Amino acid sequence: MALSIFDVFKVGVGPSSSHTVGPMIAAVRFVRRLEEANLLQQVKRLHIELFGSLGATGYGHASDTAIIVGLFGHLPDQVDTEMIPGLVGKVRQEQKVKLLDQVEVNFNPDTDLIFNLEESLPEHPNGMRFKAFDADGQQLMKKEYYSIGGGFVMNCDGMRVNTTPDIQIPYPFSSGDELVALCEKHNLTVAQLMMENEKAYQDEAAVREKVLHIWHVMQECVQRGRSKQGVLPGGYNLRRRAFKLYETLRERPEESLRDPLSMLDWVNLYAMSVNEENASGGRVVTAPTNGAAGVIPAVLHYYERFIPTSNPQGIIDFLLTAAAIGILYKENASISGAEVGCQGEVGVACSMAAGALAAVLGGTVQQVENAAEIGMEHNLGMTCDPVGGLVQVPCIERNAMGAVKAINAARLALRGDGQHFVSLDKVIITMKQTGDDMKSIYKETSRGGLAVNVIEC
């Protein structure tokens, strides 16, 4: 199945694409199935169970909130994020949900939504089971879904339920080598090749409009994140840092004349603004996941603000190129922290941003592939060990570090001729193998690494 740029970049809500966006989509899918089967009016009780990583860290990732919102029929790219706390608070107080905002059903989140800390479903660590019952206690429907990373949801038959329709595209590719070869054969950049593929779904004007909308949402996220003060939700009272950093940078612009690395402070600001907004449950773009949502916007802001030759076409080319690289990881490895650790989230985002930046800075296709490879090679083995199951520590700073790495990876590649020892395909395979070998405690369970040592301290 060919993936689109709009499968890679999705507008959603924080704090997690796999633990928030995916469960919300699954909940909507389940109630829609009930409606299609003419069973919605018969539902009197629900029982929902979360397994694996969702069971272990779902509470800190707001999976329960996402499912409640999804039962009402709200989707991540459309829901008003400001109304979510009030809606969920009302459900907890009244112990009722309104399926598709039509059928009221008794629902106690404490007893009808279970976080299973011990058991996993077979297909993926992020498993969900939904059951609906009638007034006599008879089961009307049971469905299992898997949130496989980046907001992608798969049903128990292994079919993705929320991707672009499977149609023939002019330049299909399944590896980095194939992508490079196609570009060379047809004298196309990666962005041009991706655009030709996207035109199989819709005309170029529509693609451009939607890509620029993704960029607009990213910009708004940075602006919101840097303008808010206070502490992040979750109980650790982690203070927002982006606001103070932004004020300092604005008040002391002359420092940029003395410190040649001061632009990295701005890159840090862009990334942290996004991920603080994500941690608070705000509107973000999955890029390719929520936990890694700050890397690509930060590097793209760097391109727009600090590169004199930046232009709107460069913005579009950046995101098209990044998407092509993200598709390679999605199809050949994983972008799920619960499956391969944070190398599959921040590592992949770093790789995508590095290749994309090399492209818009004039790099050849070979240099773009090299930059993407460098971006991942130096993130191999990165664990996912969020403290308290929250997408805060180390996630927020990790995005800033990933953005800086991406910029350096692009610069390293552009200083070379595109020839290099390790290929992008080899590093993707290595990332997948490393994830398979990684202990489960380091894969978004909050049972290892910083998640236990910070608390002990």
Side-chain angles (χ1 to χ4, degrees):
M1 177 181 291
L3 294 179
S4 161
I5 180 176
F6 306 112
D7 292 319
V8 177
F9 297 117
K10 304 184 186 74
V11 177
V13 296
S16 172
S17 50
S18 60
H19 288 56
T20 314
V21 175
M24 192 181 299
I25 292 170
V28 174
R29 179 80 171 186
F30 181 65
V31 291
R32 289 291 182 195
R33 287 289 170 267
L34 287 167
E35 181 184 47
E36 292 165 5
N38 295 317
L39 297 172
L40 194 65
Q41 299 294 332
Q42 300 178 42
V43 178
K44 297 300 177 184
R45 185 171 69 86
L46 296 171
H47 183 79
I48 303 167
E49 195 166 2
L50 307 182
F51 298 87
S53 177
L54 284 176
T57 65
Y59 187 78
H61 287 61
S63 299
D64 50 344
T65 292
I67 286 174
I68 291 169
V69 172
L71 293 174
F72 279 81
H74 298 296
L75 285 166
D77 62 334
Q78 301 166 6
V79 65
D80 178 2
T81 58
E82 299 297 326
M83 56 78 70
I84 291 177
L87 177 65
V88 174
K90 184 177 180 181
V91 169
R92 293 192 177 280
Q93 181 180 7
E94 299 181 357
Q95 298 191 357
K96 294 179 185 294
V97 293
K98 207 170 185 179
L99 305 183
L100 294 180
D101 214 18
Q102 301 173 31
V103 178
E104 192 169 76
V105 176
N106 291 329
F107 186 78
N108 182 350
D110 294 331
T111 57
D112 296 325
L113 178 53
I114 305 301
F115 292 91
N116 193 318
L117 302 178
E118 303 298 331
E119 188 180 347
S120 291
L121 296 182
E123 297 298 327
H124 192 275
N126 291 331
M128 296 164 275
R129 181 180 292 150
F130 292 77
K131 295 179 182 179
F133 302 88
D134 64 14
D136 297 324
Q138 295 296 310
Q139 182 173 290
L140 297 170
M141 184 177 288
K142 180 181 83 169
K143 294 289 183 182
E144 291 179 354
Y145 299 101
Y146 297 89
S147 183
I148 59 175
F152 288 92
V153 177
M154 183 176 71
N155 63 22
C156 59
D157 297 322
M159 301 295 293
R160 294 174 185 160
V161 305
N162 61 322
T163 53
T164 301
D166 190 15
I167 63 176
Q168 186 65 39
I169 57 175
Y171 301 112
F173 59 91
S174 59
S175 70
D177 286 348
E178 287 180 3
L179 177 60
V180 171
L182 281 170
C183 289
E184 291 178 331
K185 179 179 178 180
H186 299 282
N187 194 29
L188 297 170
T189 66
V190 175
Q192 289 169 340
L193 183 144
M194 277 293 292
M195 178 60 82
E196 291 303 310
N197 285 346
E198 291 299 323
K199 286 160 61 177
Y201 302 107
Q202 55 196 316
D203 62 57
E204 182 171 345
V207 175
R208 294 174 65 88
E209 181 180 356
K210 292 176 69 174
V211 172
L212 289 175
H213 173 66
I214 292 293
W215 169 230
H216 177 67
V217 176
M218 288 178 173
Q219 290 176 297
E220 286 189 328
C221 187
V222 169
Q223 291 167 4
R224 287 194 309 273
R226 74 188 186 190
S227 66
K228 294 181 180 178
Q229 303 183 64
V231 298
L232 296 171
Y236 284 96
N237 294 319
L238 190 69
R239 186 164 297 280
R240 285 176 174 266
R241 297 162 60 189
F243 176 83
K244 185 175 181 180
L245 177 56
Y246 180 51
E247 291 298 304
T248 300
L249 291 174
R250 286 204 308 169
E251 290 171 0
R252 302 174 183 173
E254 71 280 355
E255 287 189 0
S256 63
L257 301 175
R258 299 194 300 267
D259 182 359
L261 294 181
S262 64
M263 69 178 62
L264 297 185
D265 293 331
W266 286 94
V267 174
N268 290 333
L269 168 68
Y270 304 142
M272 293 174 66
S273 295
V274 171
N275 284 86
E276 287 181 355
E277 188 67 8
N278 177 64
S280 67
R283 174 76 67 213
V284 297
V285 174
T286 298
T289 69
N290 281 29
V295 176
I296 286 171
V299 178
L300 195 43
H301 274 79
Y302 163 80
Y303 165 73
E304 186 198 45
R305 305 289 176 85
F306 290 96
I307 302 301
T309 56
S310 66
N311 56 75
Q313 183 60 48
I315 300 294
I316 294 172
D317 290 346
F318 185 106
L319 291 171
L320 285 167
T321 305
I325 297 165
I327 287 169
L328 292 175
Y329 283 97
K330 182 62 186 173
E331 295 294 74
N332 295 294
S334 175
I335 58 171
S336 168
E339 196 170 17
V340 294
C342 197
Q343 58 174 355
E345 296 200 39
V346 168
V348 171
C350 177
S351 179
M352 293 166 64
L357 182 61
V360 296
L361 293 182
T364 66
V365 174
Q366 292 82 3
Q367 288 171 320
V368 169
E369 186 259 1
N370 187 16
E373 182 278 324
I374 295 170
M376 173 52 73
E377 184 176 343
H378 303 289
N379 281 293
L380 288 174
M382 186 187 294
T383 61
C384 183
D385 51 351
V387 174
L390 303 170
V391 193
Q392 299 179 15
V393 178
C395 317
I396 295 171
E397 283 187 359
R398 188 168 283 176
N399 275 258
M401 295 300 296
V404 171
K405 276 188 179 182
I407 294 169
N408 198 34
R411 293 177 66 86
L412 280 170
L414 291 171
R415 292 295 183 181
D417 60 3
Q419 303 299 311
H420 53 287
F421 189 72
V422 180
S423 70
L424 177 59
D425 290 331
K426 290 291 176 61
V427 85
I428 291 175
I429 292 171
T430 303
M431 188 271 275
K432 178 65 167 62
Q433 292 172 339
T434 303
D436 291 342
D437 292 338
M438 193 180 291
K439 290 183 178 181
S440 62
I441 61 172
Y442 298 117
K443 293 191 279 190
E444 209 164 358
T445 62
S446 289
R447 294 173 180 163
L450 287 174
V452 294
N453 287 312
V454 169
I455 294 172
E456 288 175 356
C457 295

